[in-house]
Amino acid sequence: MPFDPVGYEREVLRPLRKLLGALPGDLVTRYAVEPGMDSAQLEKHLRAVRALWNRKQANGQTSLGRVCQRMISADEELKRTAGARMTDPAWWREQARDYEGRLKPQHDQLVTDMRASYGGSGRITRTQLEMIAGTRAELGADRVRRAAVDAGLTVVDGVDLPAEPGLDRTAWADLREQLRTAHARTVVHLLHPELTRPFALVRLFEVPGAPTLRLDGATLRRRAQDAERTADSPAVRATKAALAILRTAADRGLDLRTLALYHVVEVVRSMRDEGMPEALLVTEAAGLGLTKDDAGLLVASLPPGRAAPARPADRVRELLAAGELAAARSELAALATTDPEHGAVTAQVRAATDRLVALLHEASAAATAGRETEAERLLREAAAIDAADSALALQLRRLPVAAALDVTAIPAGGVVRLAWRAPLSGSTDLRYRVLRAEDRPPAHERDGVVVADTAAARAEDAPPVARRFRYAVFVAAPDRAWSRPAGSGEVELLPPVVDVRLLAHADHVAGSWQAHPGAVRIALTRTVGRPPAGPADGTPVPVTGSSFMDSDVTEGVEHFYGLTAVYRAADGTERPAPTVVESVVPRGAATAVADLDAVPVTVAGRALLRLSWSGDGEVVLRRSGAAPGWPVGETVELTTMRGYGQPVTGHRRHDGGRSVLDTEAPNGHHFYVPFAVGGTGAVVGRPVAVGLSTPVRGLRARRSGDRVVVSWEWPEDVGLAEVTWTTPEGTTTRQLSRAQYADGCVLPVGAGGGTAEVRGIAVGPHGRAVSLPVAVAVSGLPARLSYAITRRPGLRHRLSRERIVTVRADRACAGLELVVVLAPGIVLPSTPEQGTPLAHWTGELAPGGTAEFAFELPASARAPYWLRCFVTRPADVVAVDPPLAQLKVAR
């Protein structure tokens, strides 16, 4: 085997850079001697190793250069004592046997030490293994790994355990106390109190697909709802308080999985710091609910233990870091003034005190200026410096909660809908009071009519009509003062008419509606062929109560009716509501639609349902989960039609004599019914039953040799998947259940690749619902084109500059474009642009067929240089280089 200088530097030289003692006695490793080398190979190999040492030691200022200087010095001594025997294979075998015999006691002792240190968890991380190997250069990394195996240890990749909970110290301490009162061993058990089986938590961030529990916002909300329905007790109150802390943390972006893992790590680490052996630590971690593998991995991945402070000044620093300024001052008072660190820690305590004073001053200024959010943040930052200061807690309680954000009040029919955003506050259990006042904004939490006291960030109000009001939202938190008002703009409620119904006949139109009780009258106008421009535009139509009859109509022409509810303000003036416009076309009886068709399609990446039918009359489509209760051809009132299911919306167009409408369709089984509108109602058409399920997500394909694994994420409502696999050899279809899926669907794949289409299937009481297909392409293997660069045979061609390129393909290749380049120097060109083109060839090759073309070396070519052939087209063909001797010209 040729000497590999790069591998030798990596495996032999670099690990010795930090070595303090003598070089390891393993001569076989030091000289990288391979078993089976004969005398000639040994002599050549030793020359190469010594040449590398000499090149590297030229820069003696580097750590690698110093290692090579030591290698050369030891080599000189060995050549003096061993001499010519260094090229004798038998001498090297003898050296290997002797060295292994000398190392056995060290190996056995290392096995004993590793079993004692890591046998409790049965695991050792690669980082720990590398650390041990770095201190035992005599053994080497391979022997250290063998010692770990002999000690019965499993080598694992350690995981990065969280060092912080992601909460401030006060919230974290509160959460731990609430967990104890709630009898929840961990955050996981708080969110999943029904949990009885072990769970994986450590491997959650390292191994995709590891068995884990959901620790997310949806789980948190469901758990909070369950807690609200549970009978009150101290444990239930603690559970609610803990969940409120988690909700605040999750709202601020904290990953609950990280928090849950940190809690377990903290408990186990505290036991380790108190001296508990590894075996018991694994048992304790499993007792917290972790699987046995997870418990062992956690213990193996724990960072080194924290040493106790060796000096009194360190205790002062610890208290400052823990946010206990008052305790740090007490420790400082007890610290001898002669202590060499007295001045340094005094300065640190003074700096913390100055920072605390500055924060309180800034918080006071922010509160005075009405910047409650900033004031609260500053006070909480101050509390992190001196958490035991009761005056800080009192000041925070006296600070008003920040005002609500983005308050809106929007009239909607007969009510006003209000919405706002919660303020940026660390307080939990916020409550809101909404007040209304006429012609002015409410000034404080008792000024006006109380509309709502709620924990939700929304409310509704039904105020008197035709009056101008303003709303304000006030925020409160437990033990905190009310916020200042957050007001809305001026609002006047003028409800328009609703539930307008028009019934068209060939010679008249009848209509009805519902109006707010506060309306004094309804103004009705009619326009023909166009909508009215305003409430006064058009021909007035008499009304009787909540209906009208209009006989002045023209059949087949669209008639628009504008209905305006009018209200009377406090000053006696009339206030019109927004005009509601409805249209209708007087016409004769309609004909039932008998050929409705429904096809799932994908348009611009969106999954839609394409509905089409013949004819271009007025057709209304309705969708319902239940079949229609009328026979095809029956005429029903328009109000009855509107009561069936939901309207099917979408843009209607005409295509080839058919009306076409693309619509977003919900999953599940639904009946689509066409109603042809005409005469005195709507004629029921032939319904179409459609079953749709959710498409699979995250479809991906991973190819390995002659097989491909297709995997995806299952939607919740899908229990089966239909996989269609299309290749140049043909198409196959198979179905998989969730149980059969395991880690994916395995398919055979050839050189031509293929395309996999997956449809999700949901089975319900009405039958199967099938989703639109999701596809992923699997690329084929590229064609391989081998080539050789040679001279023509014969003595007279030995000095010729002509070269012959012979190419061969493993399968048919059309449209081939090849280029041969010359690149001077010692670096092999990796792209055509790194050389000078000497020849181009285009053509095609049959499977196993060959082709030849010639080129001439330029007279200016001087060694060393490289010749190399590249495929420039097509992209699915790769060139396979011949031996380097054909490509490199060294002389």
Side-chain angles (χ1 to χ4, degrees):
M1 176 182 293
F3 176 58
D4 177 13
V6 175
Y8 179 79
E9 178 180 330
R10 181 181 64 251
E11 300 292 336
V12 179
L13 296 181
R14 290 191 177 276
L16 299 177
R17 288 178 297 173
K18 297 182 180 180
L19 182 66
L20 299 179
L23 293 173
D26 185 0
L27 297 179
V28 174
T29 299
R30 185 191 304 177
Y31 287 87
V33 172
E34 298 285 344
M37 284 185 172
D38 57 25
S39 296
Q41 290 172 325
L42 278 169
E43 183 177 359
K44 180 180 178 181
H45 178 78
L46 293 176
R47 281 201 307 270
V49 173
R50 289 163 177 153
L52 176 64
W53 290 345
N54 284 311
R55 288 198 304 272
K56 296 294 182 181
Q57 70 89 30
N59 190 359
Q61 300 305 313
T62 66
S63 59
L64 200 61
R66 289 191 290 271
V67 169
C68 290
Q69 288 175 349
R70 298 178 67 185
M71 289 288 202
I72 293 172
S73 177
D75 181 58
E76 293 296 333
E77 179 65 22
L78 189 61
K79 286 191 292 186
R80 188 182 65 79
T81 57
R85 287 180 296 167
M86 292 185 70
T87 58
D88 182 1
W91 184 81
W92 285 100
R93 289 192 293 271
E94 181 182 350
Q95 297 301 312
R97 285 195 301 272
D98 291 348
Y99 184 69
E100 290 295 336
R102 294 198 306 273
L103 284 187
K104 189 174 189 312
Q106 296 184 44
H107 172 85
D108 294 344
Q109 183 61 48
L110 180 59
V111 170
T112 301
D113 293 343
M114 293 175 80
R115 185 179 293 121
S117 300
Y118 303 101
S121 66
R123 293 165 176 79
I124 185 171
T125 66
R126 298 189 193 281
T127 302
Q128 293 166 337
L129 204 64
E130 291 170 1
M131 179 187 67
I132 294 172
T135 62
R136 288 167 172 77
E138 189 71 26
L139 288 173
D142 287 340
R143 293 184 181 87
V144 171
R145 282 192 288 269
R146 289 201 297 271
V149 173
D150 292 345
L153 302 179
T154 301
V155 180
V156 298
D157 291 316
V159 296
D160 292 329
L161 300 175
E164 296 291 340
L167 299 173
D168 61 61
R169 289 184 176 88
T170 303
W172 175 238
D174 189 16
L175 176 61
R176 287 183 300 179
E177 182 60 31
Q178 300 298 349
L179 287 174
R180 281 191 287 269
T181 307
H183 310 303
R185 284 180 290 170
T186 66
V187 173
V188 174
H189 293 94
L190 175 71
L191 294 174
H192 295 277
E194 77 289 348
L195 185 64
T196 57
R197 60 181 176 83
F199 54 85
L201 193 60
V202 180
R203 296 173 65 85
L204 180 65
F205 303 101
E206 299 292 328
V207 182
T212 59
L213 294 168
R214 290 187 60 177
L215 303 175
D216 53 15
T219 305
L220 179 58
R221 288 190 294 273
R222 286 196 297 270
R223 181 69 182 98
Q225 292 169 359
D226 292 342
E228 290 295 335
R229 292 191 291 265
T230 306
D232 187 45
S233 69
V236 171
R237 287 194 293 273
T239 297
K240 293 178 181 178
L243 293 172
I245 296 172
L246 295 185
R247 182 169 64 248
T248 300
D251 291 343
R252 294 180 176 178
L254 178 63
D255 191 333
L256 296 182
R257 300 173 301 175
T258 301
L259 180 61
L261 178 56
Y262 177 81
H263 185 212
V264 176
V265 170
E266 184 191 53
V267 173
V268 177
R269 184 166 51 201
S270 65
M271 297 176 182
R272 191 276 312 274
D273 292 345
E274 292 174 1
M276 182 177 287
E278 266 201 357
L280 293 181
L281 289 176
V282 174
T283 302
E284 291 295 331
L288 292 173
L290 296 182
T291 63
K292 185 176 181 181
D293 285 345
D294 237 32
L297 182 58
L298 183 145
V299 172
S301 302
L302 284 175
R306 183 180 63 189
R311 296 167 297 183
D314 288 337
R315 177 58 181 165
V316 179
R317 295 189 179 95
E318 276 193 355
L319 291 170
L320 288 175
E324 299 180 33
L325 177 59
R329 287 172 178 156
S330 298
E331 288 287 336
L332 178 61
L335 182 66
T337 57
T338 57
D339 190 295
E341 294 195 72
H342 185 277
V345 295
T346 299
Q348 290 175 319
V349 171
R350 185 182 301 115
T353 303
D354 293 344
R355 178 58 180 159
L356 178 63
V357 172
L359 287 171
L360 294 177
H361 177 74
E362 294 173 14
S364 177
T368 303
R371 302 192 304 273
E372 294 88 352
T373 298
E374 181 182 354
E376 180 180 336
R377 177 184 61 79
L378 293 168
L379 287 175
R380 291 189 185 278
E381 188 175 343
I385 296 176
D386 195 357
D389 190 342
S390 58
L392 276 176
L394 177 61
Q395 191 171 347
L396 182 59
R397 287 196 297 272
R398 290 176 175 173
L399 178 70
V401 183
L405 304 172
D406 302 333
V407 177
T408 59
I410 301 173
V415 299
V416 175
R417 290 178 179 158
L418 298 110
W420 56 91
R421 289 195 299 113
L424 301 176
S425 172
S427 296
T428 58
D429 296 330
L430 296 178
R431 294 198 62 81
Y432 306 95
R433 175 172 293 177
V434 185
L435 292 101
R436 164 179 27 100
E438 190 169 352
D439 294 328
R440 62 179 176 80
H444 53 78
E445 71 275 7
R446 294 182 299 277
D447 180 25
V449 178
V450 177
V451 171
D453 274 310
T454 177
R458 60 187 180 277
E460 279 192 1
D461 185 28
V465 296
R467 301 291 188 272
R468 289 182 171 87
F469 297 103
R470 290 183 180 272
Y471 292 87
V473 178
F474 298 85
V475 189
D479 299 325
R480 294 281 299 276
W482 282 98
S483 74
R484 54 189 169 83
S488 71
E490 187 176 74
V491 179
E492 182 181 20
L493 187 63
L494 298 168
V497 298
V498 295
D499 197 19
V500 178
R501 301 183 180 185
L502 301 180
L503 186 61
H505 300 261
D507 57 355
H508 69 277
V509 173
S512 64
W513 59 86
Q514 294 291 328
H516 190 278
V520 296
R521 64 186 180 88
I522 305 297
L524 175 62
T525 60
R526 178 193 66 239
T527 56
V528 179
R530 62 172 181 81
D537 182 26
T539 303
V541 177
V543 301
T544 302
S546 298
S547 63
F548 75 92
M549 177 75 72
D550 184 15
S551 301
D552 188 10
V553 298
T554 303
E555 184 176 359
V557 179
E558 189 171 12
H559 291 57
F560 292 84
Y561 293 89
L563 298 97
T564 305
V566 180
Y567 300 87
R568 194 174 304 282
D571 60 3
T573 59
E574 289 190 342
R575 303 286 294 162
T579 300
V580 176
V581 178
E582 296 287 347
S583 68
V584 71
V585 179
R587 67 184 72 192
T591 303
V593 174
D595 59 351
L596 180 65
D597 192 19
V599 179
V601 296
T602 301
V603 178
R606 297 172 58 205
L608 301 174
L609 184 67
R610 178 161 294 170
L611 300 164
S612 64
W613 63 95
S614 61
D616 54 3
E618 183 180 357
V619 174
V620 176
L621 298 172
R622 308 285 295 186
R623 178 187 65 242
S624 175
W630 318 282
V632 175
E634 182 173 334
T635 300
V636 298
E637 294 184 359
L638 295 180
T639 54
T640 304
M641 176 195 74
R642 295 190 185 102
Y644 174 74
Q646 299 83 35
V648 178
T649 59
H651 176 66
R652 177 176 171 179
R653 68 182 190 278
H654 294 280
D655 185 4
R658 291 180 67 82
S659 296
V660 180
L661 184 144
D662 291 342
T663 186
E664 293 185 353
N667 293 329
H669 287 83
H670 294 87
F671 292 89
Y672 289 80
V673 183
F675 293 90
V677 178
T680 58
V683 182
V684 181
R686 183 183 63 83
V688 172
V690 178
L692 294 176
S693 69
T694 307
V696 300
R697 299 181 298 272
L699 183 64
R700 53 196 174 275
R702 185 177 70 255
R703 177 168 185 160
S704 177
D706 59 354
R707 69 175 203 157
V708 62
V709 179
V710 180
S711 57
W712 57 85
E713 297 175 18
W714 291 82
E716 290 186 3
D717 62 329
V718 172
L720 291 172
E722 182 178 271
V723 181
T724 301
W725 176 233
T726 303
T727 67
E729 293 79 26
T731 299
T732 60
T733 300
R734 58 181 295 191
Q735 285 189 0
L736 287 87
S737 65
R738 282 179 180 260
Q740 295 169 324
Y741 173 79
D743 292 324
C745 175
V746 180
L747 301 168
V749 60
T755 300
E757 284 188 350
V758 181
R759 296 175 183 267
I761 301 174
V763 180
H766 297 291
R768 290 158 47 101
V770 183
S771 76
L772 285 170
V774 181
V776 61
V778 179
S779 60
L781 296 175
R784 295 169 59 86
L785 183 141
S786 58
Y787 68 95
I789 302 177
T790 59
R791 291 185 174 92
R792 293 190 185 277
L795 186 62
R796 65 188 183 90
H797 293 294
R798 291 187 60 186
L799 300 179
S800 172
R801 293 200 300 273
E802 184 184 45
R803 296 292 185 270
I804 306 299
V805 181
T806 305
V807 295
R808 176 190 300 271
D810 63 349
R811 63 174 185 262
C813 297
L816 278 173
E817 293 185 11
L818 310 180
V819 60
V820 179
V821 302
L822 181 149
I826 62 173
V827 179
L828 179 71
S830 58
T831 64
E833 291 74 20
Q834 294 177 349
T836 302
L838 299 181
H840 291 82
W841 182 85
T842 60
E844 58 183 42
L845 289 172
T850 61
E852 289 186 355
F853 62 94
F855 68 91
E856 187 168 306
L857 293 172
S860 60
R862 295 291 183 270
Y865 61 83
W866 294 86
L867 298 173
R868 198 175 189 188
C869 181
F870 294 91
V871 179
T872 57
R873 288 186 182 177
D876 59 349
V877 180
V878 296
V880 181
D881 291 327
L884 292 181
Q886 293 188 28
L887 305 181
K888 185 177 181 180
V889 179
R891 54 189 175 86

